[in-house]
Amino acid sequence: MPSVREVRSKLPSTGVSIFATMSRLAAEHQAINLSQGFPDFDCAPDLVEAVARSLRDGHNQYAPMPGLPALREALADKIAALYGHRYDPATEILVTSGATEALFSTLIALVHPGDEVILFQPAYDSYAPAVELAGGVPRVVTLRPPAYRIDWDAVRAAITPRTRLLLVNTPHNPTGTILDAADVAELRRLAGAHDLIVVSDEVYEHIVFDGARHESLARDPELAARSVVISSFGKTYHTTGWKVGYLAAPAPLAAEVQRVHQFVTFSVNTPVQHAYAAFVRRDPLCADLSPFYQRKRDLFLSLMAGSRFRPLPCRGTYFQLMDYSAISDEDDQAFALRLIREHGVAAIPLSPFLQGAAPGPVLRFCFAKRDETLEGAAARLRTI
Ligand code: PMP
Ligand code: GLN
């Protein structure tokens, strides 16, 4: 047996995730937690009832490995209704243990040692470690504030003969930006010209503001034919703790991901899949979610209007970036720590989402919270 000191880390530069760290500190300091992205209100009572019913009905054993057929069929119909592309539920849809597992299994399955993967930063924290565990090399293109738009010339410059895959996230965590139709057209041209696989993290697909349309890659036939589109029930149904997500991809890609998925987790929580199948059927379009969160964003912005924080544009997700340069010249981690300790509000610094680029004086605040929570947090933030 090797001693503990002989164990070589596969992720030597990775610490504990910033989400776990900030939520722990928020609890320790009894701060109002606007850091980790999860609602502090409950999901629909009839969704809980649907899970309880499926538990009582005896749906308590392994689900089929790729997901419950009824759920995959409901998802195929939902995606067709929303984005006009019909995936085959038998071979092109996979139910996963959250979007996190969908991303991980996809990257482990499709990235080979030495393959380069284009990521955009600030990047969701799980992307680069998954690429590295697959033996791939992240090639990071930086999105610059305040617009954080993709610089397609920079993407072209980052592509090499080894580039295999490109990962986009729209609506984008943590910046709240979205891809528009022109971005999708650029992506189509580049992916086609360089024969790239595209992974599209669309977990906030139903949280898009001010009348904008979610540009799912499933809408674009050429991109859909080379993309893995990933979503999460946690965001859509206020159930982040249930950790169920899914992906849709053309059969040859889905089959490769499934080979990995069967050994990462085999299958996903059966009673919850039954409940989601009924809920996806009942309201496939989820058209109430964007107005629900837009009202929360606007409430938070109006409450913060009397503060010295300056909001950046937020077009989707449940995260609002705030510039604190009028308050402090501390770096974002130091300022976030002081905000918890001295002012009792937890937010997320952007530096853990960036490699080799300055984060700037910005923090991310989650507004998926009860109105009273937002009011309480803003009252504290207005005093700074
Ligand atoms: N991608 C993004 C952009 C996210 O914000 C999150 C987390 N909320 C995930 C993936 C992971 O989703 P899940 O909780 O379903 O694993
Ligand atoms: N996606 C959530 C966020 O961005 C956190 C997920 C997690 O804790 N891993 O805050």
Side-chain angles (χ1 to χ4, degrees):
M1 283 287 286
S3 79
V4 170
R5 277 188 305 168
E6 285 166 351
V7 173
R8 278 195 302 133
S9 176
K10 288 198 164 182
L11 295 172
S13 54
T14 305
V16 174
S17 112
I18 188 66
F19 306 118
T21 303
M22 292 320 253
S23 276
R24 181 180 54 75
L25 285 173
E28 258 171 49
H29 293 271
Q30 281 145 35
I32 299 176
N33 190 0
L34 306 191
S35 64
Q36 193 176 19
F38 63 88
D40 74 343
F41 43 87
D42 211 353
C43 63
D46 50 349
L47 182 55
V48 174
E49 190 43 48
V51 176
R53 205 177 319 116
S54 60
L55 289 165
R56 283 193 298 266
D57 287 349
H59 296 303
N60 296 310
Q61 309 309 329
Y62 293 128
M65 184 268 279
L68 218 61
L71 179 55
R72 284 182 288 144
E73 282 155 21
L75 288 169
D77 288 347
K78 170 192 168 103
I79 297 169
L82 276 168
Y83 307 130
H85 184 86
R86 175 158 292 282
Y87 291 92
D88 180 346
T91 56
E92 300 190 315
I93 293 189
L94 186 64
V95 180
T96 57
S97 296
T100 307
E101 193 251 317
L103 284 157
F104 188 80
S105 293
T106 298
L107 292 167
I108 296 292
L110 302 179
V111 175
H112 291 258
D115 284 351
E116 293 179 7
V117 176
I118 307 268
L119 303 177
F120 297 93
Q121 67 171 9
Y124 188 61
D125 65 344
S126 78
Y127 300 163
V131 170
E132 284 161 14
L133 288 173
V137 182
R139 299 271 299 189
V140 179
V141 174
T142 301
L143 309 169
R144 306 268 169 209
Y148 294 106
R149 293 196 62 83
I150 292 180
D151 173 350
W152 289 103
D153 289 332
V155 180
R156 269 183 280 279
I159 291 175
T160 76
R162 309 210 67 157
T163 309
R164 165 88 175 149
L165 191 146
L166 187 150
L167 197 166
V168 289
N169 169 214
T170 184
H172 184 259
N173 179 6
T175 67
T177 55
I178 55 177
L179 295 188
D180 63 20
D183 292 313
V184 174
E186 285 278 11
L187 182 56
R188 180 196 318 116
R189 276 193 289 277
L190 272 182
H194 298 277
D195 195 18
L196 306 180
I197 296 169
V198 182
V199 176
S200 188
D201 178 347
E202 303 185 10
V203 300
Y204 301 101
E205 64 181 322
H206 295 300
I207 312 179
V208 178
F209 306 136
D210 306 318
R213 188 175 93 150
H214 171 57
E215 296 297 340
S216 175
L217 299 198
R219 285 186 194 280
D220 184 292
E222 278 179 49
L223 278 169
R226 57 172 70 251
S227 298
V228 179
V229 176
I230 292 172
S231 193
S232 170
F233 295 109
K235 314 295 165 185
T236 303
Y237 294 106
H238 315 310
T239 48
T240 60
W242 294 3
K243 293 296 299 186
V244 181
Y246 57 94
L247 61 86
L253 291 181
E256 287 308 313
V257 180
Q258 193 170 302
R259 285 186 206 233
V260 173
H261 162 81
Q262 68 186 336
F263 300 126
V264 171
T265 182
F266 185 73
S267 67
V268 174
N269 190 309
T270 308
V272 169
Q273 289 195 64
H274 278 277
Y276 282 144
F279 270 61
V280 173
R281 276 273 171 243
R282 188 197 294 180
D283 178 18
L285 306 186
C286 303
D288 294 340
L289 205 60
S290 289
F292 173 81
Y293 276 122
Q294 183 167 322
R295 195 194 66 77
K296 295 240 175 244
R297 178 200 64 175
D298 292 346
L299 172 67
F300 186 54
L301 288 177
S302 71
L303 292 165
M304 291 293 283
S307 79
R308 292 198 290 157
F309 290 88
R310 289 288 151 263
L312 279 79
C314 166
R315 306 200 61 207
T317 74
Y318 43 53
F319 303 115
Q320 175 66 55
L321 294 187
M322 289 281 181
D323 180 315
Y324 61 85
S325 56
I327 300 170
S328 169
D329 55 13
E330 287 157 283
D331 71 46
D332 64 341
Q333 307 237 32
F335 185 64
L337 283 180
R338 199 158 65 77
L339 208 58
I340 294 187
R341 292 201 182 110
E342 294 178 15
H343 302 284
V345 178
I348 293 283
L350 260 53
S351 39
F353 297 72
L354 290 147
Q355 305 168 359
V362 244
L363 293 182
R364 189 198 81 174
F365 293 86
C366 174
F367 55 81
K369 304 295 168 188
R370 285 172 289 141
D371 291 0
E372 310 86 88
T373 308
L374 297 174
E375 281 155 12
R380 294 179 183 187
L381 295 169
R382 283 197 303 269
T383 64
I384 307 171

